[in-house]
Amino acid sequence: MSYYIRLALRYLWGRKLRTILTTLAIAFGTMLIFGMNGLVPAVEAAYRQQLMQAASQVDLTITGETRSSFPETALEVVRGTPGVAHASGSLVRPVVVPPADAPLLPDGSRLGTIVLSGIDPETAPQVRRFEVVSGRLLQPGDRNVLVVSESLARKASLEPGDRLRLPSATGVATFEIVGVIAGEPGAVSDEVYTPLPVAQALLNQPGRINTIEALVVPGSDARAVREAALARLGSGFKLGENQVGSELQAAVEMGEVAFNLFGVLTLAMGGFIIFNTFRTVVVERRRDIGMLRAVGASRRAVIGLILTESLLQGVVGTAAGLCGGYFLALGMGAIVGPIWSQALRLSLGGPVFKPATYVLAIGLGIGVTLVAGLWPAVSAGRVTPLEALRPAEGEASWKPARRRAAFGLALVVVAVLGLASGNLNLASLGAVLFLAGLVLVGPVLVRPIAGVFGRLLELVLAQEGRIAEGNLARQPGRAAITASAMTIGLAILVALGGMTTSLESGLFRYIDQSLGADYLLMPHSMVLGGGNVGAGPELAEAVRSVPGIAEVTTVRLAMGRIGDTDVQTIGIDPESYPRVAGLEFSAGEPEEAFAALAEGRALIANGIFSAQSRLQVGEELTLQTPEGPKTYRVAGIGMDFLNAKLATVYVSQENLARDLHETSDILLMADRAADADPAEVRAQLERIVAQYPAFSLLSGDEMREEYKQMYGMAMRLLHLLMVTLAIPSLIALMNTLGINVLERTREIGVLRAVGSTRRQVQRMIVGESLLLSALGTAFGLLGGLWLGYVLVGALNATGFKMSYFFPYSGIVLAVAVGLVFGVIAALLPARRAARLDLLAALRYE
Amino acid sequence: MSVRCALLGLLAQRPRHGYELHAAFEALVGGAENWDVSPAQVYSTLARLKEAGLVREEGLEQEGGPEKVIHAITPAGRRELEAWFSTPVRAEHQRDEFFVKLMLCLATGEVDPMTVIYAQRASLYQELHAVTTQRARADPRSELAHILLLDQAAMHLEADLRWLDMVEARLDEVRRQPLPEPQPRPRGRPRRAR
Amino acid sequence: MAIVETKELTKVYGRGDAAVTALRKVDLRVEPGEFVAVMGPSGCGKSTLLHLVGGLDRPTSGRVALNGQDLSELSDDALTRLRRREIGFVFQFYNLIPVLKAAENVALPLVLDGVSPRKAQSQAQLWLERVGLSDRTDHRPDELSGGQQQRVAIARALASEPALILADEPTGNLDSRAGDEIATLLRRVVDEWKRTVLMVTHDPRIAAYADRIIFLKDGTVVDEARLVGGNDGAEKLVRQRMEDL
């Protein structure tokens, strides 16, 4: 076996450039997949560690079905249930510590999000065991005091006697730490405990709790008790604790899928290039292979040899990809981390590479090379020993079989279904299938298309053009596979181009729309549900009273549930909101929709939610609230930038207060009067915000710029990625043109012998290459445009509403690149063809 | 005739006595097995050359043995040698016994012409085999002249073999054509010898 | 027992109107230690015959036996094994693996047969020495002349110690001097190393090195000539020719 490896290595070494570039394609794909899948768990871990509540060791945990709070009276209901020994109510919410007041962490960042639990000092110890590490537990009558978990205390170097400032509905409150308790086994969250009434005041939820924990009487059937308690409570409650941050996780997962899509496409491209390269290799080495067979290599040995070669590339490429992926994850973490901790108040750990990630990346990297090498390897195995003796006709025959074309068409159809499924995983599979189908269908279309382009080419290169065209039409299969290298490359480029352009323009429009206000009083965490503490009406009043402020509108947030979907329910003021901010409507009339919100129980759904639930304007929905089910009518479908990724509905603040008991403002937007002095207004606002550490003041312009820059950078990265992807497709084209020359050595010799000059031969090859790349470009453009359109559609289907943006500049670039590549790729083979020793070529067999 | 010219040439190299001349000729043709010329033949040829004034006796050599006559070339002999050098050697291919045999075989129909061809071919191959064997045994560092001589033989044999192949391939066509017959001549004209 | 024996060997290419009969009921026997040349005009089926004998192709009808083993009874794998052990091939275009050094090329059949690399390498060294290329073992094929490449190919054919060497126009790509060298080497293969050589050629001069020449025409054996060795014949013949002058 070592001999095979040596032989394979020698062959690979014999064409270093090709080998390196082919391997690079695999490395890129693996890098993307591995890196992204390593980064995502880090993000998830950040959530889990900082936002998830500890799993309680109690017998019974009841929360509101919609994750919203409920009146304390429910506690009495639970206590009255037979079999319940003790019960205690608490109000648990993640809270973002204002950066200015947050304690420093060892790594230099500041403490971000913590979980605040308002507990009843009397009943809580009855249901949960609190083990004091230092200081004391909470006592009845405590006011602004905190007990912190041991993990947090260690992390932020807190000890009894320290002070911690937390945001409150009325600004900020200072707490004294009185004790440190051991977390429950397995609990990793940064939790702080304060007396329930204090928490209720802090979070503007007087008389409300969101979690009931209880122990059952020893010996009784815990399950029966749970069900009895739930039954007594009526609708609106569920068992189990709230999963804070699950909605964020969904957003992260979507990012993961998107990057996986890129990775899969890159790998598909790499696979195709490997396929292409080895097809060339098998043609080039036909006689070698025949000889091997003649001197006693079995069919399996030959297949093994080719597979060993592709496997070697796969292994090296994958290994390089893993290293690259590790650094990619590290680098991305370093770039994204600060943005995250700033925008979301979450600190990001290092990349986490789970065994499954290794399996995925290695499996895909090596799997793709193996699969891609399989067909050429099998065709190499079919080379008979006679090929060694027979003059090589050297045709990689790939006749335009109808059956193959039909199969290709079927693939395309399946691909379309996958793309239309609305599932991004299926869509990425569909994209790959689509490209494969395109390659299979290609040969049937070569002749007509070559005819059209051939006529164009004849205008430039009269004689050589005709010969070039003839060559293509005679070997449509070969032409198609050559062009398909181009097709695949360009299709991926154009598709990605279309996708990124659409993403970019979509994002920018959202940013403009939803951050249209002159001033924003933003919570520290960008995602509204992510632990921000709202403000009471006093803040809005204060802002409104600033001279020079023309208009103020506020946004409130509660969690509701419609059907099986948890939805962010955003309360807006239907009158002022459209004047200051606004939504991007995809269905329904803005005026009517906002008017409907003002009139009664109506809502505006965002794209992601309407896509998930296939909503129609005018449809009636049942919103689960603590007050029981309420019927809302869909008045329109629209979305803003901040809530693009989560299922969200907009209702009037009036209804939000009535049905979901949420009255605190979580985001304020204000417009300046036309004649006001910006500096003066800003100074005033800053003074107000200073009292509300949970908020920071941003000017809309600054904000927009900041975001646009951030996304611009991400987009530039994507563009860079696309360019790197283009290089391997150049190689593929060069490879196939190389075979072209090789297969026709003798023919070229004859052309030279009957009087073609070197220049003419060169022009013929270049002309052929131009035709091929024109063909490939045409296919690639069509395929890519369509693919991009469908991918955008697939993204839309998952909820990120954006319209397909036609990548004009990308197309111009693609055409230019296609033709330039065509010429560049032809130069080397053309030179080789022209330099052919005439006699040797004629003798070539 | 060529033995005569060969002896003239050897004498042009330097004067020699008869025995030496015989040895030199043998060495030139690569040994007695290739072209066996008897000493008597050499002496009689020398006598004829002297008669024609192309060679003269130049003196005697005596080293204890019997005295030997030394022969040298005359100016007339040199002229004769020059003429020989400037005349190409004519190959007389038309006079081929095998060809005559084959034609007669076709004319009479007594024997299958193929048998004749195959027999000839086998014989030619046998010759070629012998030549190549001998050639393989020769040392190219000292016996190049000999090798060239063998090559000449081999190439003639190859040519004959190729020609035989051609005859074989076109035999059917030849058969379809009339055999060469003497042309009926008008009477009274004298027969002109070719 | 004959090392090669064919019975009514027939090979037809194509079907129907396009069918071409390359070989028609050829009976052939090659005894161990013979050097047999197959000659005939192009298209006479001589290469086809070699392919069938080498198990590179399957006959349409009739049979080929090597050392009494009927090739038609063998599976593809068994045929491959047979080629590996019993037959050495020499091709017109040498067919060396370009990325392997001379010694590695020679060792290839041994390695394919599972011989340990070290043993294969020493065996390769030995055969390269025998064919007179001991100073070229580390050269790549493109660093060797045509004649040298063909000698490497012959060493490769011999490396696995097969009883039968099949050579397909081994001098077809060489000038006459290199051709003679190769033919002489094949002669040594028979005389010195006691192998059997079956060679296809269209060059009479090369065929004359053989012990026996088989003439093919239109797919059938039309004649054969047995060439007796020895010096006497040659001397006599050459003398005859000289005297003709």
Side-chain angles (χ1 to χ4, degrees):
Chain A
M1 192 60 211
S2 68
Y3 201 82
Y4 287 108
I5 293 180
R6 178 145 44 117
L7 192 54
L9 276 175
R10 291 271 181 84
Y11 271 126
L12 289 174
W13 191 245
R15 45 190 162 84
K16 284 181 217 72
L17 187 69
R18 205 199 277 174
T19 303
I20 290 172
L21 292 170
T22 316
T23 311
L24 264 187
I26 292 298
F28 274 132
T30 317
M31 181 179 90
L32 277 181
I33 289 183
F34 188 64
M36 283 307 141
N37 281 288
L39 193 61
V40 167
V43 172
E44 282 172 357
Y47 282 122
R48 207 161 290 130
Q49 189 173 2
Q50 292 157 49
L51 288 182
M52 300 290 215
Q53 270 176 279
S56 309
Q57 306 276 307
V58 297
D59 294 332
L60 176 58
T61 305
I62 290 173
T63 53
E65 194 176 25
T66 62
R67 277 191 255 168
S68 54
S69 60
F70 43 84
E72 278 176 276
T73 49
L75 185 58
E76 293 312 315
V77 178
V78 175
R79 282 200 179 118
T81 307
V84 171
H86 302 284
S88 177
S90 53
L91 185 60
V92 184
R93 284 273 309 267
V95 167
V96 175
V97 182
D101 301 323
L104 266 172
L105 298 184
D107 64 2
S109 64
R110 287 186 178 275
L111 185 62
T113 307
I114 57 172
V115 176
L116 175 72
S117 284
I119 56 170
D120 182 348
E122 271 178 89
T123 57
Q126 292 169 351
V127 294
R128 266 216 234 182
R129 210 162 57 83
F130 292 100
E131 192 187 316
V132 181
V133 176
S134 63
R136 62 172 176 85
L137 279 181
L138 295 176
Q139 286 162 0
D142 273 342
R143 292 298 305 161
N144 282 7
V145 297
L146 287 178
V147 168
V148 302
S149 67
E150 194 183 6
S151 65
L152 178 62
R154 206 176 299 135
K155 189 160 104 181
S157 318
L158 296 173
E159 50 188 39
D162 285 349
R163 283 169 193 283
L164 193 62
R165 281 158 68 84
L166 295 180
S168 81
T170 52
V172 67
T174 305
F175 288 82
E176 186 192 344
I177 293 167
V178 296
V180 176
I181 56 166
E184 304 214 3
V188 286
S189 61
D190 301 334
E191 276 188 285
V192 300
Y193 302 88
T194 191
L196 182 58
V198 180
Q200 285 168 336
L202 196 77
L203 298 171
N204 197 20
Q205 298 269 319
R208 301 181 74 82
I209 53 177
N210 64 3
T211 305
I212 296 171
E213 290 176 319
L215 290 180
V216 299
V217 177
S220 59
D221 180 359
R223 206 171 56 174
V225 175
R226 270 181 224 136
E227 269 157 28
L230 213 53
R232 284 171 61 107
L233 282 168
S235 68
F237 294 89
K238 66 174 170 55
L239 289 170
E241 60 274 344
N242 283 326
Q243 289 296 319
V244 189
S246 56
E247 72 269 12
L248 278 177
Q249 204 169 331
V252 174
E253 273 163 12
M254 197 185 107
E256 183 184 16
V257 169
F259 269 99
N260 274 345
L261 181 69
F262 274 71
V264 165
L265 282 179
T266 318
L267 268 184
M269 175 114 169
F272 182 77
I273 290 166
I274 291 226
F275 164 75
N276 200 298
T277 305
F278 279 95
R279 215 184 117 269
T280 320
V281 161
V282 172
V283 172
E284 282 174 346
R285 272 197 243 145
R286 237 175 158 64
R287 195 178 284 151
D288 282 14
I289 295 167
M291 194 282 304
L292 277 173
R293 293 278 287 129
V295 301
S298 65
R299 191 162 291 180
R300 247 164 300 139
V302 169
I303 293 176
L305 177 66
I306 301 285
L307 279 185
T308 304
E309 267 182 67
S310 73
L311 196 63
L312 275 176
Q313 288 192 288
V315 168
V316 172
T318 305
L322 290 188
C323 293
Y326 176 76
F327 288 112
L328 178 75
L330 223 59
M332 287 287 279
I335 295 170
V336 170
I339 299 174
W340 271 55
S341 64
Q342 190 191 342
L344 301 177
R345 308 301 305 151
L346 286 173
S347 60
L348 201 60
V352 178
F353 296 104
K354 291 186 279 194
T357 313
Y358 281 97
V359 170
L360 180 77
I362 294 174
L364 273 176
I366 292 179
V368 161
T369 42
L370 268 188
V371 168
L374 201 60
W375 191 76
V378 169
S379 78
R382 271 198 228 110
V383 171
T384 64
L386 275 182
E387 307 271 356
L389 303 149
R390 204 178 278 161
E393 53 262 47
E395 306 267 314
S397 70
W398 177 278
K399 298 200 183 74
R402 288 246 170 81
R403 230 180 25 205
R404 206 175 272 142
F407 180 62
L409 208 63
L411 270 188
V412 170
V413 170
V414 171
V416 171
L417 290 179
L419 288 165
S421 68
N423 177 324
L424 257 184
N425 282 319
L426 285 182
S428 50
L429 184 69
V432 174
L433 287 184
F434 177 73
L435 293 176
L438 209 61
V439 172
L440 287 176
V441 175
V444 185
L445 304 174
V446 165
R447 219 181 283 251
I449 297 183
V452 174
F453 284 116
R455 225 149 290 150
L456 287 176
L457 190 66
E458 275 175 42
L459 298 177
V460 193
L461 306 168
Q463 288 305 320
E464 299 87 347
R466 198 159 329 126
I467 298 177
E469 183 199 332
N471 280 337
L472 292 197
R474 211 184 44 194
Q475 281 283 344
R478 189 169 64 192
I481 202 142
T482 309
S484 61
M486 199 81 197
T487 303
I488 300 271
L490 276 183
I492 291 178
L493 290 189
V494 172
L496 290 185
M499 219 165 96
T500 48
T501 326
S502 304
L503 214 67
E504 198 172 357
S505 64
L507 279 174
F508 282 3
R509 207 170 53 234
Y510 286 131
I511 292 173
D512 282 343
Q513 276 283 346
S514 44
L515 301 178
D518 292 337
Y519 298 104
L520 289 127
L521 273 71
M522 292 273 296
H524 294 295
S525 177
M526 273 273 304
V527 178
L528 295 183
N532 299 301
V533 174
E538 305 84 11
L539 179 58
E541 273 315 312
V543 172
R544 202 167 282 132
S545 65
V546 169
I549 288 292
E551 189 83 55
V552 176
T553 192
T554 68
V555 170
R556 296 174 184 172
L557 173 75
M559 291 308 293
R561 173 180 276 264
I562 293 173
D564 297 330
T565 317
D566 285 333
V567 289
Q568 283 200 117
T569 311
I570 291 182
I572 54 172
D573 176 10
E575 276 183 44
S576 59
Y577 188 77
R579 287 202 292 269
V580 181
L583 296 171
E584 177 83 353
F585 277 80
S586 56
E589 286 302 315
E591 289 85 6
E592 288 173 25
F594 284 116
L597 251 55
E599 277 159 23
R601 284 207 171 89
L603 58 81
I604 297 170
N606 79 341
I608 209 162
F609 179 54
S610 79
Q612 274 169 6
S613 313
R614 306 192 185 282
L615 297 183
Q616 302 284 332
V617 174
E619 195 176 321
E620 302 213 314
L621 296 175
T622 305
L623 181 69
Q624 299 295 335
T625 74
E627 300 295 311
K630 303 287 178 199
T631 303
Y632 280 78
R633 189 170 62 80
V634 179
I637 293 166
M639 66 196 295
D640 66 10
F641 168 66
L642 294 176
N643 302 298
K645 297 174 278 315
L646 303 173
T648 304
V649 298
Y650 300 87
V651 300
S652 69
Q653 289 178 346
E654 197 183 325
N655 284 326
L656 191 74
R658 194 165 58 199
D659 294 338
L660 292 162
H661 306 282
E662 185 57 66
T663 52
S664 42
D665 297 327
I666 205 147
L667 173 71
L668 286 86
M669 292 181 268
D671 273 352
R672 196 173 55 229
D675 52 356
D677 173 18
E680 179 63 24
V681 173
R682 191 176 173 111
Q684 289 262 11
L685 286 176
E686 264 165 10
R687 228 164 295 145
I688 296 169
V689 170
Q691 288 158 29
Y692 287 83
F695 289 85
S696 50
L697 176 69
L698 285 167
S699 97
D701 293 340
E702 279 171 25
M703 183 80 188
R704 281 195 293 277
E705 271 320 300
E706 199 172 308
Y707 279 116
K708 280 183 181 173
Q709 257 174 25
M710 205 165 97
Y711 282 104
M713 208 168 80
M715 293 301 149
R716 268 198 295 284
L717 263 175
L718 282 180
H719 289 301
L720 193 74
L721 193 73
M722 281 159 44
V723 173
T724 23
L725 277 182
I727 292 168
S729 94
L730 174 70
I731 303 156
L733 191 67
M734 231 152 92
N735 270 350
T736 33
L737 277 174
I739 319 186
N740 247 348
V741 172
L742 201 77
E743 284 175 348
R744 291 217 316 274
T745 305
R746 203 191 176 116
E747 192 181 312
I748 290 166
V750 172
L751 274 176
R752 292 271 290 115
V754 301
S756 295
T757 62
R758 270 162 208 261
R759 275 188 71 82
Q760 278 172 321
V761 167
Q762 233 162 7
R763 286 218 297 241
M764 186 189 82
I765 301 282
V766 171
E768 218 175 296
S769 165
L770 267 177
L771 265 185
L772 282 172
S773 45
L775 214 70
T777 310
F779 271 145
L781 276 184
L782 287 178
L785 283 176
W786 190 78
L787 194 63
Y789 181 77
V790 182
L791 280 178
V792 169
L795 279 180
N796 264 328
T798 62
F800 191 92
K801 213 73 199 167
M802 58 185 175
S803 48
Y804 182 67
F805 187 85
F806 200 74
Y808 291 103
S809 54
I811 286 176
V812 173
L813 193 74
V815 170
V817 164
L819 296 184
V820 169
F821 269 24
V823 175
I824 292 178
L827 283 183
L828 212 69
R831 260 199 8 208
R832 197 162 64 179
R835 281 209 188 143
L836 268 179
D837 174 15
L838 214 161
L839 287 176
L842 286 175
R843 228 182 299 131
Y844 184 88
E845 286 181 294
Chain B
M1 35 101 208
S2 54
V3 175
R4 182 169 166 259
C5 297
L7 294 185
L8 264 184
L10 286 170
L11 289 177
Q13 193 184 11
R14 62 182 150 85
R16 301 167 194 259
H17 56 74
Y19 176 75
E20 197 189 345
L21 207 51
H22 178 249
F25 181 80
E26 227 175 61
L28 179 69
V29 297
E33 67 264 31
N34 281 345
W35 195 340
D36 193 7
V37 176
S38 62
Q41 219 175 325
V42 171
Y43 285 112
S44 63
T45 311
L46 264 181
R48 263 180 277 136
L49 287 169
K50 260 184 282 184
E51 248 170 66
L54 303 175
V55 166
R56 61 184 160 80
E57 288 181 18
E58 211 180 52
L60 295 171
E61 190 188 83
Q62 195 161 22
E63 283 169 358
E67 60 180 27
K68 295 166 185 167
V69 183
I70 310 261
H71 300 276
I73 194 163
T74 63
R78 276 192 197 279
R79 275 194 300 279
E80 171 85 8
L81 191 64
E82 257 166 50
W84 183 63
F85 276 131
S86 59
T87 322
V89 178
R90 276 198 50 173
E92 298 183 31
H93 293 297
Q94 289 93 337
R95 210 178 65 191
D96 189 307
E97 187 187 340
F98 171 74
F99 180 75
V100 173
K101 201 189 274 182
L102 185 69
M103 286 305 119
L104 283 173
C105 164
L106 282 173
T108 58
E110 297 266 321
V111 194
D112 182 358
M114 279 303 184
T115 342
V116 178
I117 291 176
Y118 291 157
Q120 182 69 16
R121 183 162 65 188
S123 153
L124 285 173
Y125 266 114
Q126 180 61 60
E127 281 187 54
L128 189 55
H129 182 68
V131 170
T132 48
T133 311
Q134 200 187 350
R135 190 187 177 283
R137 225 170 274 146
D139 183 354
R141 277 163 302 190
S142 56
E143 299 175 282
L144 196 57
H146 187 99
I147 286 179
L148 288 177
L149 186 60
L150 289 168
D151 275 342
Q152 190 247 15
M155 282 170 184
H156 273 290
L157 289 166
E158 272 181 73
D160 285 350
L161 281 163
R162 285 184 207 279
W163 178 74
L164 263 191
D165 282 344
M166 204 197 292
V167 171
E168 186 190 354
R170 310 198 71 172
L171 197 62
D172 287 342
E173 284 175 67
V174 176
R175 253 190 255 206
R176 277 197 295 274
Q177 288 179 6
L179 281 170
E181 288 281 344
Q183 298 285 320
R185 295 182 306 275
R187 284 168 196 275
R189 283 262 181 94
R191 184 181 168 185
R192 195 170 290 165
R194 269 208 292 176
Chain C
M1 188 174 32
I3 187 164
V4 178
E5 183 166 20
T6 70
K7 274 264 166 17
E8 307 210 324
L9 195 61
T10 303
K11 177 72 185 178
V12 182
Y13 290 113
R15 269 184 210 167
D17 293 342
V20 176
T21 307
L23 282 184
R24 204 189 306 267
K25 300 198 171 177
V26 170
D27 293 330
L28 172 76
R29 269 176 80 90
V30 178
E31 300 299 330
E34 254 194 309
F35 185 171
V36 177
V38 179
M39 289 206 72
S42 56
C44 69
K46 54 187 193 292
S47 285
T48 306
L49 178 66
L50 197 77
H51 300 164
L52 292 174
V53 169
L56 299 178
D57 207 353
R58 302 254 186 199
T60 309
S61 70
R63 59 180 218 110
V64 180
L66 292 189
N67 281 324
Q69 166 75 64
D70 189 348
L71 295 193
S72 60
E73 289 164 2
L74 297 178
S75 67
D76 187 74
D77 279 354
L79 260 185
T80 301
R81 257 197 309 282
L82 180 104
R83 279 202 299 269
R84 209 188 273 165
R85 294 177 187 163
E86 315 283 344
I87 307 176
F89 285 94
V90 178
F91 305 110
Q92 181 178 358
F93 298 103
Y94 337 126
N95 288 81
L96 301 175
I97 302 286
V99 297
L100 293 182
K101 295 168 186 167
E104 288 167 332
N105 264 297
V106 175
L108 190 60
L110 294 170
V111 171
L112 287 171
D113 203 26
V115 173
S116 78
R118 190 179 308 163
K119 197 172 164 222
Q121 209 60 28
S122 70
Q123 190 76 358
Q125 208 73 25
L126 172 73
W127 279 108
L128 280 176
E129 243 162 70
R130 286 183 178 172
V131 301
L133 286 176
S134 48
D135 55 339
R136 291 282 188 277
T137 51
D138 284 342
H139 286 56
R140 296 268 181 94
D142 54 8
E143 298 161 348
L144 299 173
S145 72
Q148 287 173 328
Q149 288 189 54
Q150 194 62 298
R151 277 197 273 166
V152 174
I154 291 174
R156 179 182 64 194
L158 291 165
S160 57
E161 306 276 348
L164 178 65
I165 305 291
L166 297 178
D168 189 3
E169 300 278 11
T171 62
N173 218 28
L174 299 174
D175 60 39
S176 66
R177 191 169 158 189
D180 271 325
E181 279 172 26
I182 292 303
T184 309
L185 184 57
L186 286 174
R187 192 66 247 178
R188 278 176 74 200
V189 168
V190 176
D191 294 341
E192 248 175 75
W193 301 313
K194 309 297 175 208
R195 303 293 142 86
T196 309
V197 174
L198 181 60
M199 170 180 72
V200 161
T201 182
H202 66 272
D203 187 346
R205 184 191 177 94
I206 299 300
Y209 280 86
D211 298 323
R212 186 152 65 100
I213 305 177
I214 289 167
F215 297 95
L216 277 181
K217 194 182 166 190
D218 298 332
T220 46
V221 176
V222 291
D223 186 29
E224 73 171 73
R226 213 167 270 279
L227 309 178
V228 286
N231 230 356
D232 313 339
E235 286 157 15
K236 207 177 76 217
L237 286 160
V238 173
R239 186 163 60 234
Q240 225 170 13
R241 288 197 70 81
M242 294 298 254
E243 279 167 1
D244 281 352
L245 294 174

